[in-house]
Coordinates of all heavy atoms in Angstrom, one line a residue:
I83 N -4.3 15.2 14.7 CA -4.7 15.2 13.3 C -3.5 14.9 12.5 O -2.5 15.6 12.5 CB -5.3 16.6 13.0 CG1 -6.5 16.9 14.0 CG2 -5.7 16.7 11.5 CD1 -7.0 18.4 13.7
V84 N -3.6 13.9 11.7 CA -2.4 13.4 10.9 C -2.7 13.5 9.4 O -3.8 12.9 9.0 CB -2.0 12.0 11.3 CG1 -0.8 11.6 10.5 CG2 -1.7 11.9 12.8
H85 N -1.9 14.1 8.7 CA -2.1 14.1 7.2 C -0.9 13.4 6.6 O 0.3 13.8 7.0 CB -2.3 15.5 6.7 CG -2.9 15.6 5.3 ND1 -2.1 15.5 4.2 CD2 -4.1 15.9 4.8 CE1 -2.8 15.6 3.1 NE2 -4.1 15.8 3.5
L86 N -1.0 12.7 5.6 CA 0.1 12.0 4.9 C 0.8 12.8 3.8 O 1.8 12.4 3.3 CB -0.4 10.7 4.3 CG -1.0 9.7 5.3 CD1 -1.4 8.4 4.6 CD2 0.0 9.4 6.4
G87 N 0.3 14.0 3.5 CA 1.0 14.9 2.6 C 0.9 14.4 1.2 O -0.1 13.7 0.8
M88 N 1.9 14.6 0.4 CA 1.9 14.2 -1.0 C 2.4 12.8 -1.3 O 2.0 12.2 -2.2 CB 2.9 15.2 -1.8 CG 2.3 16.6 -1.9 SD 0.8 16.7 -2.8 CE 1.5 16.4 -4.5
S89 N 3.3 12.3 -0.5 CA 3.9 11.0 -0.7 C 4.1 10.3 0.7 O 5.0 9.4 0.6 CB 5.1 11.1 -1.6 OG 6.1 11.9 -0.9
G90 N 3.5 10.7 1.6 CA 3.8 10.0 3.0 C 3.0 8.7 3.2 O 2.1 8.3 2.5
S91 N 3.5 8.0 4.2 CA 2.8 6.8 4.7 C 3.0 6.6 6.1 O 3.9 7.1 6.7 CB 3.4 5.6 3.9 OG 4.8 5.4 4.3
L92 N 2.0 6.0 6.7 CA 2.0 5.6 8.1 C 1.9 4.2 8.3 O 0.9 3.6 8.0 CB 0.9 6.4 8.9 CG 0.9 6.3 10.5 CD1 2.0 6.9 11.1 CD2 -0.4 6.9 10.9
R93 N 3.1 3.6 8.7 CA 3.1 2.1 8.8 C 3.5 1.6 10.1 O 4.1 2.3 10.9 CB 4.1 1.6 7.7 CG 5.6 1.8 8.0 CD 6.4 1.5 6.9 NE 7.9 1.5 7.2 CZ 8.6 2.6 7.6 NH1 8.1 3.8 7.5 NH2 9.9 2.4 7.9
S94 N 2.9 0.3 10.3 CA 3.4 -0.3 11.6 C 4.7 -1.1 11.4 O 4.8 -1.8 10.4 CB 2.3 -1.3 12.0 OG 2.6 -2.0 13.2
V95 N 5.7 -1.0 12.3 CA 6.8 -1.8 12.2 C 7.1 -2.5 13.6 O 6.5 -2.1 14.6 CB 8.1 -0.9 11.9 CG1 7.8 -0.2 10.5 CG2 8.2 0.1 13.0
A96 N 8.0 -3.5 13.6 CA 8.3 -4.1 14.8 C 9.2 -3.2 15.7 O 10.1 -2.5 15.1 CB 9.1 -5.4 14.5
P97 N 9.0 -3.2 17.0 CA 10.0 -2.4 17.8 C 11.4 -2.7 17.6 O 11.9 -3.8 17.4 CB 9.6 -2.9 19.3 CG 8.1 -3.3 19.2 CD 8.1 -4.0 17.8
G98 N 12.2 -1.7 17.4 CA 13.6 -1.9 17.2 C 14.0 -1.9 15.7 O 15.1 -2.1 15.4
E99 N 13.0 -1.9 14.8 CA 13.4 -2.0 13.4 C 14.1 -0.8 13.1 O 14.0 0.4 13.5 CB 12.0 -2.1 12.5 CG 12.3 -2.2 11.0 CD 11.1 -2.4 10.3 OE1 10.2 -3.3 10.7 OE2 10.9 -1.7 9.3
F100 N 15.1 -0.9 12.1 CA 15.9 0.1 11.6 C 15.2 1.3 11.1 O 14.2 1.2 10.4 CB 16.8 -0.5 10.5 CG 17.8 0.6 10.0 CD1 18.9 0.9 10.7 CD2 17.6 1.2 8.8 CE1 19.9 1.8 10.2 CE2 18.6 2.1 8.3 CZ 19.7 2.4 9.0
L101 N 15.5 2.5 11.6 CA 14.9 3.8 11.2 C 15.3 4.1 9.7 O 16.5 4.2 9.5 CB 15.3 4.9 12.2 CG 14.5 6.2 12.1 CD1 13.0 6.0 12.6 CD2 15.1 7.2 13.0
R102 N 14.4 4.3 8.9 CA 14.7 4.7 7.6 C 14.8 6.2 7.4 O 14.4 7.0 8.2 CB 13.5 4.2 6.6 CG 13.4 2.7 6.5 CD 12.0 2.3 5.9 NE 11.9 3.0 4.6 CZ 10.6 2.9 4.1 NH1 9.6 2.4 4.7 NH2 10.5 3.6 2.9
K103 N 15.5 6.6 6.4 CA 15.6 8.1 6.0 C 14.2 8.6 5.7 O 13.3 7.8 5.1 CB 16.5 8.3 4.7 CG 16.6 9.8 4.4 CD 17.6 9.8 3.2 CE 17.8 11.3 2.8 NZ 18.6 11.4 1.6
H104 N 13.8 9.7 6.2 CA 12.5 10.3 6.0 C 11.4 9.7 7.0 O 10.3 10.0 6.8 CB 12.0 10.2 4.7 CG 13.0 10.8 3.6 ND1 13.5 12.1 3.7 CD2 13.5 10.3 2.4 CE1 14.3 12.3 2.7 NE2 14.3 11.3 2.0
D105 N 11.9 9.0 8.0 CA 11.0 8.5 9.0 C 11.0 9.7 10.1 O 11.9 9.8 10.9 CB 11.4 7.2 9.7 CG 11.0 5.9 8.8 OD1 10.2 6.2 7.9 OD2 11.5 4.9 9.1
H106 N 10.0 10.5 10.0 CA 10.0 11.7 10.8 C 9.4 11.7 12.2 O 9.8 12.4 13.1 CB 9.4 12.9 10.0 CG 10.0 13.2 8.7 ND1 11.4 13.2 8.5 CD2 9.5 13.3 7.5 CE1 11.7 13.5 7.3 NE2 10.6 13.6 6.6
V107 N 8.4 10.8 12.4 CA 7.7 10.7 13.7 C 7.3 9.2 14.0 O 7.1 8.4 13.1 CB 6.4 11.4 13.6 CG1 5.7 11.4 15.0 CG2 6.5 12.9 13.2
E108 N 7.6 8.9 15.3 CA 7.3 7.6 15.8 C 6.3 7.6 16.9 O 6.4 8.3 17.9 CB 8.5 6.8 16.2 CG 9.6 6.6 15.2 CD 10.8 5.7 15.8 OE1 11.7 6.5 16.5 OE2 10.8 4.6 15.6
W109 N 5.3 6.7 16.8 CA 4.4 6.5 17.9 C 4.8 5.1 18.6 O 4.7 4.1 17.9 CB 2.9 6.4 17.4 CG 2.4 7.7 17.1 CD1 1.5 8.5 17.8 CD2 2.4 8.3 15.7 NE1 1.1 9.6 17.1 CE2 1.7 9.5 15.8 CE3 3.2 8.0 14.6 CZ2 1.6 10.5 14.8 CZ3 3.2 8.9 13.6 CH2 2.3 10.2 13.6
I110 N 5.3 5.1 19.7 CA 5.9 3.8 20.2 C 4.9 3.3 21.3 O 4.6 3.9 22.3 CB 7.3 4.1 20.9 CG1 8.2 4.6 19.8 CG2 7.9 2.8 21.5 CD1 9.6 5.1 20.3
F111 N 4.5 2.1 21.1 CA 3.7 1.3 22.0 C 4.5 0.1 22.5 O 5.6 -0.2 22.0 CB 2.4 0.8 21.3 CG 1.5 1.9 20.7 CD1 1.8 2.6 19.6 CD2 0.4 2.4 21.5 CE1 1.0 3.6 19.1 CE2 -0.4 3.4 21.0 CZ -0.1 4.0 19.8
D112 N 3.9 -0.6 23.4 CA 4.6 -1.8 24.0 C 5.0 -2.8 23.0 O 6.1 -3.3 23.0 CB 3.8 -2.5 25.1 CG 3.8 -1.6 26.4 OD1 4.6 -0.7 26.5 OD2 2.8 -1.8 27.2
Q113 N 4.1 -3.2 22.1 CA 4.3 -4.2 21.1 C 4.3 -3.8 19.6 O 4.4 -4.6 18.8 CB 3.2 -5.3 21.3 CG 3.3 -6.0 22.7 CD 2.3 -7.0 22.8 OE1 1.5 -7.2 22.0 NE2 2.3 -7.7 24.0
A114 N 4.2 -2.6 19.4 CA 4.2 -2.0 18.0 C 4.8 -0.6 17.9 O 4.8 0.2 18.9 CB 2.9 -2.1 17.5
V115 N 5.2 -0.2 16.8 CA 5.7 1.2 16.5 C 5.0 1.6 15.2 O 5.0 0.9 14.2 CB 7.2 1.2 16.4 CG1 7.6 2.6 16.0 CG2 7.8 0.7 17.7
L116 N 4.5 2.8 15.2 CA 4.0 3.5 14.0 C 5.0 4.5 13.6 O 5.5 5.3 14.4 CB 2.7 4.1 14.1 CG 1.4 3.3 14.5 CD1 0.2 4.2 14.6 CD2 1.2 2.2 13.5
R117 N 5.3 4.5 12.3 CA 6.2 5.6 11.8 C 5.7 6.3 10.6 O 5.2 5.7 9.7 CB 7.6 4.9 11.3 CG 8.4 4.4 12.5 CD 9.7 3.7 12.0 NE 10.5 3.2 13.2 CZ 11.5 2.5 13.1 NH1 11.9 2.0 12.0 NH2 12.1 2.0 14.2
L118 N 5.8 7.6 10.7 CA 5.3 8.5 9.6 C 6.6 8.7 8.7 O 7.6 9.3 9.1 CB 4.8 9.8 10.1 CG 4.4 10.8 9.1 CD1 3.3 10.3 8.2 CD2 4.0 12.2 9.8
H119 N 6.4 8.3 7.4 CA 7.5 8.3 6.4 C 7.0 9.4 5.4 O 6.0 9.2 4.8 CB 7.7 6.9 5.8 CG 8.8 7.0 4.8 ND1 10.2 6.9 5.1 CD2 8.9 7.1 3.4 CE1 10.9 6.9 4.1 NE2 10.2 7.0 3.0
D120 N 7.8 10.4 5.2 CA 7.3 11.6 4.4 C 8.5 12.3 3.7 O 9.1 13.3 4.3 CB 6.5 12.5 5.2 CG 5.8 13.5 4.4 OD1 6.0 13.6 3.1 OD2 5.2 14.4 5.0
P121 N 8.9 11.7 2.6 CA 10.1 12.3 1.9 C 10.0 13.8 1.6 O 11.0 14.6 1.7 CB 10.2 11.6 0.7 CG 9.5 10.3 0.9 CD 8.5 10.6 1.9
R122 N 8.8 14.3 1.3 CA 8.6 15.7 0.9 C 8.2 16.6 2.1 O 8.2 17.8 2.0 CB 7.5 15.9 -0.2 CG 7.8 15.1 -1.4 CD 6.8 15.4 -2.5 NE 7.0 14.6 -3.7 CZ 6.2 14.6 -4.8 NH1 5.3 15.6 -4.8 NH2 6.4 13.9 -5.8
R123 N 7.9 16.0 3.3 CA 7.6 16.8 4.4 C 6.4 17.7 4.2 O 6.3 18.8 4.8 CB 8.8 17.6 4.9 CG 9.9 16.8 5.4 CD 10.7 17.5 6.5 NE 11.0 18.9 6.4 CZ 12.1 19.2 5.7 NH1 13.0 18.5 5.4 NH2 12.3 20.5 5.7
F124 N 5.4 17.2 3.4 CA 4.2 17.9 3.2 C 3.1 17.5 4.1 O 1.9 18.0 4.1 CB 3.7 17.9 1.8 CG 4.5 18.6 0.7 CD1 4.2 18.5 -0.6 CD2 5.4 19.6 1.1 CE1 5.1 19.2 -1.6 CE2 6.1 20.4 0.3 CZ 5.9 20.2 -1.1
G125 N 3.4 16.4 4.9 CA 2.4 15.9 5.9 C 2.2 16.9 7.2 O 2.8 17.9 7.2
A126 N 1.5 16.3 8.1 CA 1.2 17.1 9.3 C 0.9 16.3 10.4 O 0.3 15.2 10.3 CB 0.1 18.1 9.0
V127 N 1.3 16.6 11.6 CA 0.9 16.0 12.9 C 0.6 17.2 13.8 O 1.4 17.9 14.3 CB 2.0 15.1 13.4 CG1 1.6 14.5 14.8 CG2 2.4 14.1 12.5
L128 N -0.7 17.3 14.1 CA -1.2 18.6 14.9 C -2.0 17.9 16.0 O -2.4 16.8 16.1 CB -2.0 19.5 14.0 CG -1.3 20.1 12.8 CD1 -2.3 20.8 11.9 CD2 -0.1 20.9 13.2
W129 N -2.4 18.9 16.9 CA -3.0 18.5 18.2 C -4.3 19.5 18.3 O -4.1 20.7 18.2 CB -2.1 18.7 19.4 CG -2.8 18.5 20.7 CD1 -3.1 19.3 21.7 CD2 -3.3 17.1 21.2 NE1 -3.8 18.7 22.7 CE2 -3.8 17.4 22.5 CE3 -3.2 15.9 20.6 CZ2 -4.4 16.4 23.2 CZ3 -3.8 14.8 21.4 CH2 -4.4 15.0 22.7
H130 N -5.5 18.8 18.6 CA -6.7 19.5 18.9 C -7.1 19.2 20.2 O -7.7 18.0 20.4 CB -7.6 19.2 17.8 CG -9.0 20.0 18.1 ND1 -9.2 21.3 17.6 CD2 -10.1 19.6 18.7 CE1 -10.4 21.7 17.9 NE2 -11.0 20.7 18.6
P131 N -7.0 20.0 21.3 CA -7.5 19.6 22.6 C -9.0 19.6 22.7 O -9.6 20.4 22.0 CB -6.9 20.7 23.5 CG -6.7 21.9 22.6 CD -6.4 21.4 21.2
D132 N -9.6 18.7 23.5 CA -11.0 18.6 23.7 C -11.6 20.0 24.2 O -12.8 20.4 23.9 CB -11.4 17.5 24.7 CG -11.3 16.3 24.0 OD1 -11.2 16.1 22.8 OD2 -11.5 15.2 24.7
A133 N -10.7 20.7 24.9 CA -11.2 22.0 25.5 C -11.6 23.0 24.3 O -12.3 24.0 24.6 CB -10.1 22.7 26.3
D134 N -11.1 22.8 23.2 CA -11.4 23.6 22.0 C -12.7 23.2 21.3 O -12.9 23.8 20.2 CB -10.2 23.6 21.0 CG -9.1 24.5 21.5 OD1 -9.3 25.1 22.5 OD2 -8.0 24.5 20.9
G135 N -13.3 22.3 21.8 CA -14.6 21.8 21.1 C -14.3 20.5 20.2 O -13.2 20.0 20.1
P136 N -15.4 20.1 19.6 CA -15.2 19.0 18.7 C -14.2 19.1 17.7 O -14.0 20.2 17.1 CB -16.6 18.8 18.0 CG -17.6 19.5 18.9 CD -16.8 20.7 19.5
V137 N -13.4 18.0 17.4 CA -12.3 18.1 16.4 C -12.8 18.4 15.1 O -12.2 19.0 14.2 CB -11.5 16.8 16.4 CG1 -12.4 15.6 15.8 CG2 -10.2 17.0 15.6
E138 N -14.1 18.1 14.7 CA -14.7 18.3 13.4 C -14.8 19.9 13.2 O -15.0 20.3 12.0 CB -16.1 17.6 13.4 CG -16.1 16.2 13.2 CD -15.8 15.6 14.6 OE1 -15.9 16.1 15.6 OE2 -15.5 14.3 14.6
N139 N -14.7 20.7 14.2 CA -14.7 22.2 14.1 C -13.4 22.7 13.8 O -13.3 24.0 13.7 CB -15.3 22.8 15.3 CG -16.9 22.4 15.4 OD1 -17.5 22.1 14.5 ND2 -17.4 22.5 16.6
H140 N -12.3 21.9 13.8 CA -11.0 22.4 13.6 C -11.0 23.1 12.2 O -11.6 22.6 11.2 CB -9.9 21.3 13.6 CG -8.6 21.7 13.5 ND1 -7.9 22.0 12.4 CD2 -7.5 21.9 14.5 CE1 -6.7 22.3 12.6 NE2 -6.5 22.3 13.9
P141 N -10.2 24.2 12.0 CA -10.2 24.9 10.7 C -9.9 23.9 9.5 O -10.4 24.3 8.4 CB -9.1 25.9 10.9 CG -9.1 26.2 12.4 CD -9.5 24.9 13.0
L142 N -9.1 22.9 9.7 CA -8.7 22.0 8.5 C -9.9 21.1 8.2 O -9.9 20.6 7.1 CB -7.5 21.2 9.0 CG -6.1 22.0 9.1 CD1 -5.1 21.0 9.5 CD2 -5.7 22.6 7.7
L143 N -10.8 20.9 9.1 CA -11.9 19.9 8.9 C -13.3 20.6 8.7 O -14.2 20.0 8.1 CB -11.9 19.0 10.0 CG -10.7 18.3 10.5 CD1 -10.9 17.4 11.6 CD2 -10.0 17.5 9.4
A144 N -13.4 21.8 9.3 CA -14.8 22.4 9.3 C -15.4 22.6 8.0 O -16.7 22.5 7.9 CB -14.7 23.7 10.1
K145 N -14.7 22.8 6.9 CA -15.3 23.1 5.6 C -15.3 21.9 4.6 O -15.7 22.1 3.5 CB -14.7 24.3 5.0 CG -14.8 25.6 5.7 CD -14.2 26.8 5.0 CE -14.4 28.1 5.8 NZ -13.8 29.3 5.1
L146 N -14.9 20.7 5.1 CA -14.9 19.6 4.3 C -16.3 19.2 3.8 O -17.2 19.3 4.7 CB -14.2 18.5 4.9 CG -12.7 18.6 5.3 CD1 -12.1 17.4 5.9 CD2 -12.0 19.0 3.9
G147 N -16.5 18.7 2.7 CA -17.8 18.2 2.3 C -18.1 16.9 3.0 O -17.4 16.4 3.8
I148 N -19.3 16.4 2.5 CA -19.8 15.0 3.1 C -18.9 13.9 2.7 O -18.2 13.9 1.7 CB -21.3 14.8 2.6 CG1 -22.0 13.8 3.5 CG2 -21.2 14.4 1.1 CD1 -23.4 13.8 3.1
E149 N -18.9 12.9 3.5 CA -18.1 11.7 3.2 C -18.9 10.9 2.2 O -20.2 10.8 2.2 CB -18.0 10.7 4.5 CG -17.1 11.3 5.5 CD -15.6 11.2 5.2 OE1 -15.3 10.3 4.4 OE2 -14.8 12.1 5.7
P150 N -18.2 10.2 1.2 CA -18.9 9.6 0.1 C -19.7 8.4 0.5 O -20.7 8.0 -0.2 CB -17.8 9.2 -0.8 CG -16.5 9.2 0.0 CD -16.7 10.3 1.0
F151 N -19.4 7.8 1.7 CA -20.1 6.6 2.2 C -21.2 7.0 3.2 O -21.8 6.1 3.8 CB -19.2 5.6 2.7 CG -18.2 5.1 1.7 CD1 -16.9 5.3 1.7 CD2 -18.8 4.3 0.6 CE1 -16.1 4.9 0.7 CE2 -17.9 3.9 -0.4 CZ -16.5 4.2 -0.3
D152 N -21.3 8.4 3.4 CA -22.4 8.8 4.3 C -23.8 8.5 3.6 O -23.9 8.7 2.4 CB -22.2 10.3 4.6 CG -23.2 10.9 5.6 OD1 -24.4 10.6 5.4 OD2 -22.7 11.5 6.5
P153 N -24.7 8.0 4.4 CA -26.1 7.7 3.8 C -26.7 8.9 3.2 O -27.6 8.7 2.3 CB -26.9 7.2 5.0 CG -25.9 6.6 6.0 CD -24.7 7.5 5.8
R154 N -26.3 10.1 3.6 CA -27.0 11.3 3.0 C -26.4 11.7 1.6 O -27.0 12.5 0.9 CB -26.8 12.5 3.9 CG -27.5 12.3 5.3 CD -27.0 13.4 6.2 NE -25.5 13.4 6.5 CZ -24.8 14.4 6.9 NH1 -25.4 15.5 7.3 NH2 -23.6 14.2 7.2
F155 N -25.3 11.0 1.3 CA -24.6 11.4 0.0 C -25.4 10.6 -1.1 O -25.4 9.5 -1.2 CB -23.2 11.0 0.0 CG -22.5 11.2 -1.4 CD1 -22.4 12.4 -1.9 CD2 -22.0 10.1 -2.0 CE1 -21.8 12.7 -3.1 CE2 -21.4 10.3 -3.3 CZ -21.3 11.5 -3.8
D156 N -25.9 11.5 -2.1 CA -26.6 10.9 -3.3 C -26.7 12.0 -4.3 O -26.1 13.0 -4.2 CB -28.0 10.4 -2.9 CG -28.9 11.5 -2.3 OD1 -28.6 12.7 -2.4 OD2 -29.9 11.2 -1.7
G157 N -27.4 11.6 -5.4 CA -27.5 12.6 -6.5 C -28.2 14.0 -6.1 O -27.8 15.1 -6.7
A158 N -29.1 13.8 -5.2 CA -29.8 15.1 -4.8 C -28.8 16.0 -4.1 O -28.8 17.2 -4.3 CB -31.0 14.7 -3.9
W159 N -27.9 15.4 -3.3 CA -26.9 16.2 -2.5 C -26.0 16.9 -3.6 O -25.7 18.1 -3.4 CB -26.1 15.2 -1.6 CG -25.0 15.9 -0.9 CD1 -23.8 16.3 -1.3 CD2 -25.1 16.4 0.4 NE1 -23.0 16.8 -0.4 CE2 -23.8 17.0 0.7 CE3 -26.0 16.4 1.5 CZ2 -23.6 17.5 2.0 CZ3 -25.8 16.9 2.7 CH2 -24.6 17.5 3.0
L160 N -25.5 16.1 -4.6 CA -24.6 16.7 -5.6 C -25.3 17.8 -6.4 O -24.8 18.9 -6.6 CB -24.1 15.6 -6.5 CG -23.0 14.6 -5.9 CD1 -22.6 13.7 -7.0 CD2 -21.8 15.4 -5.4
H161 N -26.6 17.5 -6.7 CA -27.3 18.5 -7.6 C -27.4 19.8 -6.9 O -27.3 20.8 -7.4 CB -28.6 17.8 -8.0 CG -29.3 18.6 -9.1 ND1 -30.5 19.3 -8.9 CD2 -29.0 18.8 -10.4 CE1 -30.8 19.9 -10.1 NE2 -29.9 19.5 -11.0
H162 N -27.7 19.7 -5.5 CA -27.9 20.9 -4.7 C -26.6 21.7 -4.6 O -26.7 22.9 -4.7 CB -28.4 20.5 -3.4 CG -28.5 21.6 -2.4 ND1 -29.4 22.7 -2.5 CD2 -27.6 21.9 -1.3 CE1 -29.2 23.5 -1.5 NE2 -28.1 23.1 -0.7
H163 N -25.5 20.9 -4.4 CA -24.2 21.6 -4.2 C -23.6 22.2 -5.5 O -22.7 23.0 -5.5 CB -23.3 20.7 -3.4 CG -23.6 20.7 -1.9 ND1 -24.6 19.9 -1.4 CD2 -23.0 21.3 -0.9 CE1 -24.6 20.0 -0.2 NE2 -23.7 20.8 0.2
F164 N -24.0 21.6 -6.6 CA -23.5 22.0 -7.9 C -24.2 23.2 -8.5 O -23.6 23.8 -9.4 CB -23.5 20.8 -8.9 CG -22.6 19.7 -8.7 CD1 -22.8 18.5 -9.4 CD2 -21.6 19.8 -7.8 CE1 -21.9 17.4 -9.2 CE2 -20.7 18.8 -7.5 CZ -20.9 17.6 -8.2
K165 N -25.3 23.5 -8.1 CA -26.2 24.5 -8.8 C -25.6 25.9 -8.9 O -25.9 26.6 -9.8 CB -27.6 24.6 -8.1 CG -27.6 25.1 -6.7 CD -29.0 25.0 -6.2 CE -29.1 25.6 -4.7 NZ -30.5 25.5 -4.2
N166 N -24.6 26.2 -7.9 CA -24.0 27.5 -7.9 C -22.7 27.5 -8.4 O -21.9 28.5 -8.2 CB -24.1 28.2 -6.5 CG -25.5 28.5 -6.2 OD1 -26.4 28.9 -6.9 ND2 -25.9 28.3 -4.9
H167 N -22.2 26.4 -9.0 CA -20.8 26.3 -9.5 C -20.7 26.0 -11.0 O -21.1 25.0 -11.5 CB -20.1 25.0 -8.7 CG -20.0 25.3 -7.3 ND1 -19.0 26.0 -6.7 CD2 -20.7 24.9 -6.2 CE1 -19.1 26.1 -5.4 NE2 -20.1 25.3 -5.0
G168 N -20.2 27.0 -11.7 CA -20.1 26.9 -13.1 C -18.8 26.4 -13.6 O -18.6 26.2 -14.8
A169 N -17.9 26.1 -12.7 CA -16.6 25.5 -13.1 C -16.8 24.1 -13.5 O -17.8 23.4 -13.3 CB -15.7 25.6 -11.8
A170 N -15.7 23.6 -14.2 CA -15.7 22.2 -14.7 C -16.0 21.2 -13.6 O -15.4 21.4 -12.5 CB -14.3 21.9 -15.5
I171 N -16.7 20.3 -13.9 CA -17.1 19.2 -12.9 C -15.9 18.6 -12.2 O -15.9 18.3 -11.0 CB -18.0 18.2 -13.5 CG1 -18.5 17.2 -12.4 CG2 -17.4 17.4 -14.6 CD1 -19.2 17.7 -11.2
K172 N -14.8 18.3 -13.0 CA -13.7 17.8 -12.4 C -13.0 18.7 -11.4 O -12.6 18.2 -10.3 CB -12.6 17.5 -13.5 CG -11.2 17.2 -13.1 CD -11.0 15.8 -12.6 CE -9.6 15.5 -12.2 NZ -8.5 15.9 -13.1
Q173 N -13.0 20.0 -11.6 CA -12.5 20.9 -10.6 C -13.4 21.0 -9.4 O -12.8 21.1 -8.3 CB -12.3 22.3 -11.3 CG -11.3 22.3 -12.4 CD -10.0 21.8 -12.0 OE1 -9.6 20.7 -12.3 NE2 -9.2 22.7 -11.3
V174 N -14.6 21.0 -9.6 CA -15.5 21.1 -8.4 C -15.4 19.8 -7.6 O -15.5 20.0 -6.2 CB -17.0 21.2 -8.9 CG1 -18.0 21.2 -7.7 CG2 -17.1 22.6 -9.7
L175 N -15.3 18.6 -8.2 CA -15.1 17.4 -7.4 C -13.8 17.5 -6.6 O -13.7 17.1 -5.4 CB -15.0 16.2 -8.3 CG -16.3 15.7 -8.9 CD1 -16.1 14.5 -9.8 CD2 -17.3 15.2 -7.8
L176 N -12.7 18.0 -7.2 CA -11.4 18.1 -6.5 C -11.5 19.1 -5.4 O -10.7 18.9 -4.4 CB -10.3 18.5 -7.5 CG -9.9 17.5 -8.6 CD1 -8.7 18.1 -9.3 CD2 -9.4 16.2 -7.8
A177 N -12.3 20.0 -5.4 CA -12.4 21.1 -4.4 C -12.8 20.5 -3.1 O -12.5 21.1 -1.9 CB -13.3 22.3 -4.8
G178 N -13.6 19.4 -3.1 CA -13.9 18.8 -1.8 C -15.0 19.4 -1.0 O -15.3 19.0 0.1
M179 N -15.6 20.4 -1.6 CA -16.7 21.1 -0.8 C -18.0 20.4 -0.9 O -18.8 20.5 0.0 CB -16.9 22.5 -1.4 CG -15.6 23.3 -1.4 SD -14.9 23.6 0.2 CE -16.2 25.0 0.7

Side-chain angles (χ1 to χ4, degrees):
I83 302 173
V84 181
H85 194 283
L86 300 180
M88 293 294 292
S89 58
S91 64
L92 185 62
R93 71 192 194 284
S94 175
V95 302
E99 182 174 313
F100 181 74
L101 192 71
R102 296 163 52 192
K103 185 180 181 180
H104 306 307
D105 281 348
H106 300 316
V107 183
E108 293 185 279
W109 288 260
I110 300 176
F111 298 82
D112 286 343
Q113 298 181 356
V115 176
L116 295 184
R117 286 182 182 165
L118 178 62
H119 183 80
D120 187 1
R122 300 186 186 182
R123 298 209 312 266
F124 285 168
V127 180
L128 302 173
W129 177 250
H130 180 85
D132 281 353
D134 287 353
V137 68
E138 290 76 14
N139 293 338
H140 188 279
L142 291 175
L143 309 179
K145 294 183 179 181
L146 294 179
I148 197 171
E149 292 284 334
F151 298 110
D152 189 305
R154 297 171 296 166
F155 174 64
D156 57 14
W159 179 279
L160 288 181
H161 195 248
H162 172 74
H163 283 81
F164 288 168
K165 64 182 181 181
N166 294 321
H167 293 281
I171 180 59
K172 166 80 180 309
Q173 297 303 100
V174 176
L175 284 176
L176 289 183
M179 303 298 285

